[in-house]
Amino acid sequence: MFTNLKYDLDRILSKDPAARSRIEVFMLYSSIHAVLYHRMAHALYKHKIFFIARMISQFSRFMTGIEIHPGATIGKGFFIDHGMGVVIGETVEIGDNVMMYHGVTLGGRGKSKGKRHPTVHDNVIIGTGATVLGDIIIGEGAKVGAGSVVLYDVPPHTTAVGCVARNILKNRDAKNNEDAIIMDRFCPAGRK
C-alpha cells in the first residue's frame, strides 16, 4: 500500500509549484490522503470485503472531498490538484503519472454491468471540471481541456476540448407566449 508513496510525493513536488516539501505534501494535500485511503479500500475490495472498503471510501470522501470507488484501479504518481469535487467510478482504470484538477468526473453512462467507466492511460492531464463518461479510452499522453465533456475515445498525444451537449428541449416563453429553445449558457459549443 505504501510502496509508491515516495514516488507519489515526489511527483506532486515536481508538478505543483506551491509544494515545498514532502512533509508538507504528506500532511496537507488531500490528493495524497485520498489515494492512501483508496489503496486501503482497494485492497479490501479485491478480497471481496466490500462493505468495509466502501466505508473507507466514504470516510475518505468526507475528509477530502474526493470520491474514489474502491473498485477503481489507480497507478503510481496519480495527482489531483486541489481535489474537491472529483468523482471516480467503480470500473475506472488510471495509469501512471496521471494528473487531474478539481471537479473532474470519470463516470459511467447508464446502469449496465461490467466495464462502464473510462480507462485513462499513462501521462494524461485532465483539466478542471472535465466530465469523461463511459467505457472509453483516454490515450497515453493525451490532454482533456477544462470543462470538456468526453464521450468518445481520445487518441494518444492529442488534446480533447469542448462540450458535446446539445439543447433539444423547447419551452414556452411565458412573457411572449411563444416557443423558445432553452440554451445552456455554460456550453456555448452546444448551441445551434
Side-chain angles (χ1 to χ4, degrees):
M1 177 173 59
F2 296 103
T3 311
N4 297 320
L5 180 59
K6 182 180 180 297
Y7 184 90
D8 292 344
L9 294 170
D10 289 340
R11 172 100 171 123
I12 291 172
L13 282 168
S14 73
K15 290 296 179 185
D16 187 355
R20 291 179 178 78
S21 69
R22 281 187 194 137
I23 192 71
E24 176 189 28
V25 172
F26 180 75
M27 297 297 291
L28 303 176
Y29 277 55
S30 60
S31 176
I32 283 292
H33 302 154
V35 169
L36 287 174
Y37 284 126
H38 172 71
R39 289 184 181 146
M40 286 188 277
H42 186 68
L44 292 167
Y45 190 86
K46 288 190 332 188
H47 287 92
K48 300 189 184 316
I49 306 172
F50 301 123
F51 185 79
I52 296 173
R54 288 303 298 266
M55 280 181 50
I56 291 170
S57 73
Q58 290 303 301
F59 177 76
S60 174
R61 176 181 173 221
F62 175 76
M63 296 300 291
T64 66
I66 299 168
E67 182 174 343
I68 306 173
H69 192 285
T73 304
I74 297 176
K76 65 182 181 177
F78 179 56
F79 175 34
I80 306 169
D81 200 4
H82 300 289
M84 191 59 94
V86 168
V87 177
I88 298 173
E90 179 182 21
T91 62
V92 168
E93 297 173 41
I94 298 175
D96 295 337
N97 302 320
V98 170
M99 182 174 178
M100 65 176 57
Y101 292 86
H102 59 281
V104 170
T105 297
L106 302 179
R109 289 171 52 183
K111 299 185 187 283
S112 62
K113 299 287 186 189
K115 179 76 168 117
R116 60 190 184 282
H117 297 96
T119 298
V120 179
H121 286 210
D122 298 346
N123 304 306
V124 168
I125 298 173
I126 303 176
T128 301
T131 302
V132 183
L133 300 176
D135 181 13
I136 61 173
I137 295 172
I138 308 299
E140 182 174 351
K143 296 177 182 172
V144 175
S148 297
V149 177
V150 182
L151 302 177
Y152 307 102
D153 290 354
V154 176
H157 308 289
T158 59
T159 300
V161 297
C163 191
V164 299
R166 299 289 182 259
N167 295 299
I168 58 171
L169 176 66
K170 286 190 177 184
N171 197 13
R172 177 131 333 253
D173 182 355
K175 185 176 181 182
N176 297 322
N177 199 25
E178 57 189 44
D179 287 337
I181 296 176
I182 297 173
M183 293 297 196
D184 181 355
R185 63 177 176 220
F186 300 110
C187 188
R191 295 181 184 175
K192 291 245 175 196

